[in-house]
Amino acid sequence: MPNYWWVNHKQTLRQEIDGQYLWSPKAERGGARSQFYDNMRLASPGDIVMSYANGQIGWIGRVAEFAFTAPKPEEFGSVGAYWDQEGWLLPVYWTELTPPVRPKAMIQNLGPLLPKKYSPISALTGDGNQKAYLAAVPPEVFEMIAAGAAFSQDALARGGSNSLTFDVVTEVLDDTIQRRIEEDAGLETTIKQTIIQARRGQGAFRKNVEDRERACRLTGITNPSLLIASHIKPWRVCQTATERLDGANGLLLTPDADHLFDRGFISFGDTGEVIVSPRVLDEDMRRLGFEKLVRQRFGVREAPAVWMTDAFEPAQSGYLDYHRKQVFIS
């Protein structure tokens, strides 16, 4: 069964509906954590989202991917000028709700169903709650909202041709960053080429990784033609050329292992233990050939010994810490 979410996004409604996503900062101004922003990482593919803006719910969405780190969308312009430039992007496929529903008009019946804590609107007045963004709500809230309106359930279930994927979004983000590098008058041409090659795990970056890593840490494969030089802290969020080219910021992985790592389905501890996301289906891991990862799960069966690889070097620890906190899907 899906989880249900309610998003208050008056300021960014048009951009997020047209772009098929939600985006939030990772923390409030000043660095304080926000449950409404943390919820971006709790939403899962298949979950349902209700779009609330200007006093009405006019769109119903289906989460298409887990959220991941992305820069503030350029189309936001000056909106949220005080927000951090790095946040969570959650791909969502939207379909229109007709006619739009005004929660305030049904607050007497809707109010008792709203969560006592972190509610998106006031259970008494129906007005939007300050600082609320993505809020978890019980299924009964969705059922009441949708009861008097219509939306394409078939389109919502299928996703549609405009539904975003992790690969599509990150490709666009990487293209944007590459363009900025190419236009940077302060960088020499050879440096630009080296940084851009690192995006694909090529050139100096790959050599730097190969100086530290000899094999895929999941499969043990050593054949260079079967290995990808993968960034630990993603290329698109590195702040400097040094980070993008640092061999300590890379692993050699087979394509399937690279996808699991890049998407945050696995990570590594500093001492070499493999960490598996609890939000990946066991059957999917088996089909990929990673039965060992399934057997490792605590709570699924008796807990076996943790799958260990070689310990990482101190220079790799900072990048791994970033991956565990900002990429890994916990």
Side-chain angles (χ1 to χ4, degrees), residues 82-98:
Y82 57 88
W83 291 336
D84 287 341
Q85 292 302 302
E86 182 178 289
W88 299 121
L89 190 147
L90 181 68
V92 178
Y93 174 75
W94 297 104
T95 185
E96 194 167 9
L97 184 70
T98 54

Side-chain angles (χ1 to χ4, degrees), residues 177-191:
I177 294 167
Q178 179 171 324
R179 185 179 69 250
R180 291 173 183 169
I181 292 171
E182 291 170 339
E183 295 172 350
D184 188 342
L187 289 176
E188 295 181 3
T189 301
T190 54
I191 297 298

Side-chain angles (χ1 to χ4, degrees), residues 192-231:
K192 291 179 183 179
Q193 292 173 345
T194 303
I195 297 172
I196 291 169
Q197 284 179 333
R199 169 185 174 182
R200 306 292 185 186
Q202 299 171 345
F205 171 69
R206 180 173 183 115
K207 179 184 181 302
N208 294 339
V209 175
E210 289 176 338
D211 287 343
R212 295 173 181 271
E213 298 283 315
R214 293 288 185 269
C216 173
R217 285 181 176 259
L218 283 190
T219 66
I221 288 175
T222 59
N223 186 337
S225 64
L226 300 177
L227 298 174
I228 294 170
S230 178
H231 283 83

Side-chain angles (χ1 to χ4, degrees), residues 226-264:
L226 300 177
L227 298 174
I228 294 170
S230 178
H231 283 83
I232 299 173
K233 180 178 181 179
W235 184 89
R236 64 183 175 276
V237 295
C238 288
Q239 298 300 307
T240 65
T242 299
E243 283 188 333
R244 290 191 171 105
L245 298 176
D246 190 356
N249 186 24
L251 297 175
L252 294 176
L253 300 170
T254 57
D256 283 347
D258 172 68
H259 182 77
L260 292 173
F261 184 73
D262 191 43
R263 194 60 193 87

